[in-house]
Amino acid sequence: MATVNFSVPEDVKVAFNTTFCKENKSAIIAALMREAVDRAQRKDRARQAATRILERRESAPIVSTAECREAREKDRP
């Protein structure tokens, strides 16, 4: 288990200690860190997906509104 040292504003420290006075603060901070890592990784994957979509659009065929409408109506019962 690693030990970390962070500087936080005093008001955040007081609020955290007050809120979680009867809980394992290390476990809470570890869980928050995991959530932050997950959130950052999801954001990165979303950014990569958007980049791939935009790259594919460059080589996608141009289709007119009329062609789109015709294709939609063709498949309707």
Side-chain angles (χ1 to χ4, degrees):
M1 185 84 53
T3 300
V4 295
N5 183 16
F6 295 104
S7 297
V8 295
E10 186 64 25
D11 62 323
V12 173
K13 176 184 169 188
V14 170
F16 183 85
N17 287 334
T18 301
T19 303
F20 299 107
C21 64
K22 295 181 181 179
E23 298 186 46
N24 180 338
K25 294 179 189 89
S26 294
I28 293 167
I29 291 172
L32 291 170
M33 291 173 76
R34 284 186 191 99
E35 289 176 21
V37 168
D38 289 344
R39 186 171 42 248
Q41 290 174 343
R42 279 193 311 273
K43 187 175 182 179
D44 187 51
R45 286 191 304 270
R47 191 178 307 115
Q48 290 174 7
T51 299
R52 287 192 306 272
I53 290 168
L54 292 174
E55 287 172 353
R56 289 179 190 155
R57 285 189 68 185
E58 292 176 7
S59 61
I62 298 174
V63 180
S64 71
T65 303
E67 291 171 309
C68 286
R69 184 179 304 113
E70 181 181 324
R72 275 196 312 268
E73 291 175 0
K74 176 182 152 195
D75 292 331
R76 290 184 182 163

